[in-house]
Amino acid sequence: INISLIFPKADIGVAMGIVGSDVAKDAADMILLNDNFASIVDGVEEGRLIFDNLKKSIVYSLTSNIPELSPFIAFIVLQIPLPLTTILILLIDLGTDLLPAISLAYEAKEADIMSKPPRNALTDRLVTRKLLAFAYGQIGVIQAVAGFITYFVVLNDYGFAPGDLIGASQLFIDFADDNSAGTFSPNPDDTLEATELSVNGNSITLTECRIKDSEVCHIPDEALKHAQTAFFTAIMVVQGANLLACRTRRLSVFQQGLRNTVLNVAIVQAFALGIFLAYVPPVNIIGTRPIRIVHWFPPMPFFMVILTYDEVRKWMIRQGDGKRINLVEEYTYY
């Protein structure tokens, strides 16, 4: 029998690793090293686990691109003060997000991993349109909203109303370059009670500060650095929810449990790094500031929104009868 001609005709060619011929091994799609057909099940299961975990890690890593990119779009289009600096973006990608993304490779298999039908190798690839739509168009948008709301809350607390920030980017830049160029009204020496700030011909209306801090209230560059740090921490918070949501593709995260020790350590590491960057004075040279505890709270509801949205999405996917794909599964199951 010409094995090299038979194997290509089969759905999958399996050769024995011990007693099989070299010709069979070269033509086979799978080689059983222990000559035990039960190993096929173990191999398929391990392959599905690797594929699933790679998808989870990719989704987690891609999602934060939206809250990282949208501040620059808003800066250009709306001319608001830049909500997030490039240094803080690097700290997210290479700092707070790095270990969590790696930790998903250690995620245990989902209970239904072997009950799913075989994937279509031509269409069900690692990165698909549904995956990008889910990461960028759904979770990423929620994260961006969380970041901007936190940013506006912080600046509003320090006397800069959201509506007055549109078109004010140049004023913030000019004041940061030369503080002496700014003139506060009505009393130039009383920044806390000031109602207007003028810098090089540009002016902005100031509101009453909810947080009376003379070093930050009505001071554009310092208030902005607090807002940028808060935007950074907001991404960190919602990425924590995204990490938990990415642990499963179909099952509830509560069914999966907290058995991934590497992931648990990664969550602690991410928040510890964020706190270190914000609250250790020598590190503030990179533009971070020790934000008030109250400014950690604006992104918290979005933490729950992401988890709730993803749990409902997975629940609706699981309602399928196993024969037909429902709409939620068709458009959101990555």
Side-chain angles (χ1 to χ4, degrees), residues 31-80:
I31 301 174
L32 301 179
L33 298 179
N34 59 359
D35 288 3
N36 185 350
F37 279 101
S39 300
I40 294 177
V41 177
D42 296 334
V44 171
E45 183 177 84
E46 186 67 21
R48 289 187 173 191
L49 174 62
I50 293 171
F51 186 81
D52 277 0
N53 287 352
L54 282 173
K55 270 187 171 285
K56 295 170 186 177
S57 183
I58 291 171
V59 168
Y60 174 80
S61 300
L62 291 179
T63 303
S64 61
N65 288 349
I66 297 301
E68 290 173 351
L69 177 63
S70 53
F72 290 90
I73 297 177
F75 172 71
I76 295 170
V77 176
L78 302 177
Q79 296 185 21
I80 63 174

Side-chain angles (χ1 to χ4, degrees), residues 111-122:
D112 66 343
I113 191 170
M114 294 301 289
S115 65
K116 295 181 290 186
R119 68 181 180 89
N120 187 331
L122 297 178

Side-chain angles (χ1 to χ4, degrees), residues 128-329:
T128 62
R129 284 181 294 180
K130 286 192 288 186
L131 183 147
L132 295 175
F134 177 76
Y136 289 157
Q138 298 172 51
I139 306 300
V141 170
I142 297 174
Q143 291 189 347
V145 172
F148 276 105
I149 287 180
T150 305
Y151 163 84
F152 286 123
V153 165
V154 173
L155 284 177
N156 186 66
D157 284 348
Y158 289 123
F160 299 94
D164 295 326
L165 293 173
I166 298 176
S169 60
Q170 191 59 50
L171 181 144
F172 277 70
I173 293 172
D174 291 343
F175 189 90
D177 291 338
D178 183 10
N179 292 1
S180 63
T183 302
F184 293 90
S185 301
N187 184 353
D189 297 323
D190 189 357
T191 59
L192 286 176
E193 300 300 327
T195 57
E196 185 179 68
L197 170 63
S198 299
V199 184
N200 296 339
N202 296 314
S203 62
I204 185 172
T205 300
L206 303 176
T207 60
E208 182 180 359
C209 293
R210 297 185 179 182
I211 299 178
K212 302 290 186 179
D213 185 340
S214 60
E215 296 182 356
V216 186
C217 175
H218 295 156
I219 308 299
D221 54 342
E222 281 300 315
L224 180 59
K225 288 176 181 177
H226 278 75
Q228 290 170 339
T229 304
F231 198 114
F232 165 77
T233 58
I235 294 178
M236 189 172 61
V237 168
V238 291
Q239 273 291 76
N242 185 35
L243 180 63
L244 295 176
C246 285
R247 296 184 64 228
T248 60
R249 293 176 65 200
R250 289 178 66 93
L251 297 183
S252 168
V253 69
F254 300 104
Q255 295 174 272
Q256 188 74 350
L258 296 173
R259 295 170 292 174
N260 190 342
T261 304
V262 179
L263 184 140
N264 298 334
V265 171
I267 294 176
V268 175
Q269 175 269 334
F271 279 90
L273 179 59
I275 292 171
F276 173 80
L277 294 171
Y279 294 98
V280 176
V283 184
N284 292 156
I285 192 173
I286 63 175
T288 56
R289 290 295 183 269
I291 61 174
R292 300 295 181 111
I293 298 299
V294 69
H295 290 151
W296 282 84
F297 289 102
M300 295 298 182
F302 294 93
F303 181 99
M304 297 307 302
V305 167
I306 290 174
L307 280 182
T308 303
Y309 171 80
D310 200 60
E311 283 296 306
V312 172
R313 179 185 68 86
K314 291 172 184 173
W315 176 81
M316 296 179 71
I317 289 174
R318 294 195 300 273
Q319 299 314 299
D321 58 12
K323 298 178 181 179
R324 292 170 296 178
I325 299 177
N326 59 40
L327 289 176
V328 177
E329 183 173 5

